[in-house]
């Protein structure tokens, strides 16, 4: 028996704003439970898809994330998806990338970095 990823938890200041952003970015459903919304994958998502929990904190983000989610989009759709995410409140972030990495670095409305991957290695490679 081994452990598996089940949920991505992110500390946020404005949980409603962040729930709106991430639910639209991922196509997830929002379940509000007090001040900590939980986002659930759509019914047609693959079994075992991660859920997202937005944990309110009174502290703003400080510095670069020590970990971050990576989202995937087919190579031919990356520009459209970057623009869609920017329209939802994301912004481009420069963390020293050269431009040939196979991903675009963005930040959500509270500055949490995430990558939009458009080049993936086959599983196990």
């Amino acid at each position: 028996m081994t452990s598996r990823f089940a949920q991505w938890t992110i500390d946020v200041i404005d949980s409603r704003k962040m729930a709106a952003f991430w639910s639209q970015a991922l196509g997830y459903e929002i379940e509000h439970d007090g001040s900590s919304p939980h986002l659930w994958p759509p019914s047609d998502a693959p079994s075992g898809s991660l859920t997202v929990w937005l944990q309110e904190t009174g502290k703003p983000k400080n510095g670069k994330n020590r970990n971050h989610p990576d989202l995937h989009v087919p190579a031919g759709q990356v520009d459209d998806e970057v623009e869609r995410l920017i329209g939802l409140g994301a912004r481009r972030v420069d963390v020293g990338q050269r431009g040939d990495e196979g991903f675009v670095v963005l930040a959500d409305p509270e500055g949490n970095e995430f990558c939009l991957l458009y080049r993936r290695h086959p599983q196990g490679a």
Side-chain angles (χ1 to χ4, degrees):
M1 176 84 185
T2 58
S3 299
R4 302 277 188 256
F5 285 107
Q7 177 173 282
W8 173 49
T9 302
I10 181 172
D11 290 346
V12 300
I13 293 175
D14 185 338
S15 64
R16 291 202 179 268
K17 175 180 175 181
M18 296 300 286
F21 172 81
W22 282 108
S23 69
Q24 291 175 54
L26 300 171
Y28 277 33
E29 300 291 324
I30 303 171
E31 177 184 327
H32 287 285
D33 181 16
S35 63
S36 297
H38 204 137
L39 306 182
W40 297 92
S43 59
D44 62 347
S47 177
S49 294
L50 293 179
T51 63
V52 179
W53 185 49
L54 302 169
Q55 178 176 275
E56 279 206 5
T57 180
K59 299 178 182 179
K61 179 182 172 298
N62 185 10
K64 184 179 179 300
N65 292 6
R66 290 191 66 175
N67 60 63
H68 63 268
D70 290 335
L71 310 180
H72 178 258
V73 65
Q77 299 173 18
V78 67
D79 293 335
D80 290 342
E81 183 64 358
V82 167
E83 291 309 311
R84 185 184 78 85
L85 293 167
I86 288 172
L88 295 174
R91 61 183 169 81
R92 288 180 179 269
V93 179
D94 183 356
V95 295
Q97 61 271 35
R98 298 175 315 272
D100 61 351
E101 294 87 359
F103 58 84
V104 176
V105 183
L106 299 168
D108 70 16
E110 288 192 2
N112 299 296
E113 296 93 0
F114 64 98
C115 292
L116 185 61
L117 307 176
Y118 54 91
R119 188 179 322 138
R120 295 178 72 176
H121 294 287
Q123 189 166 345

